[in-house]
Amino acid sequence: MLQHVSYATVCQIAIVLSSFFYGYIVTQLPGGWLATRFGAKYVYGFGVLTTTVLTLLTPLAAKKLPLIIALRIVEGLGEVCERGVCSCASETTLSVSAIVPV
């Protein structure tokens, strides 16, 4: 797979693979805040839609190193919506189930 890519040095591959987490780490807290403000299903749906579209665009962006790095960073921003919503939704579910017997 890497034979077709022109930036196949180990350092450049490491930058591409880690660039996802640059976007992911920046918005950890805002993801949970958005879930409580706008509702979990909307924020989760936006996160899934964003990462799906960006993942489909990955082969087109893979031809240029700066494009794939930027795409992976933005993909990390969309993924945090999913993780923040999951943690926020589970806390809400646990707190409601403690009050209301199931």
Side-chain angles (χ1 to χ4, degrees):
M1 180 169 108
L2 293 176
Q3 292 102 1
H4 304 293
V5 182
S6 62
Y7 53 88
T9 67
V10 174
C11 183
Q12 290 170 332
I13 291 171
I15 291 170
V16 169
L17 292 176
S18 65
S19 63
F20 174 85
F21 295 102
Y22 299 148
Y24 183 82
I25 206 165
V26 169
T27 55
Q28 282 291 312
L29 294 176
W33 179 80
L34 288 170
T36 55
R37 177 146 174 113
F38 297 110
K41 71 177 181 179
Y42 296 113
V43 178
Y44 187 76
F46 176 76
V48 169
L49 179 67
T50 302
T51 53
T52 301
V53 170
L54 293 174
T55 301
L56 290 173
L57 294 175
T58 300
L60 298 173
K63 296 178 178 166
K64 304 276 185 182
L65 183 63
L67 282 177
I68 192 69
I69 291 172
L71 181 89
R72 298 275 298 166
I73 290 172
V74 175
E75 192 174 349
L77 292 171
E79 183 74 20
V80 80
C81 289
E82 297 175 26
R83 300 293 183 244
V85 170
C86 288
S87 64
C88 180
S90 66
E91 289 173 7
T92 304
T93 304
L94 291 174
S95 64
V96 170
S97 64
I99 297 171
V100 179
V102 180

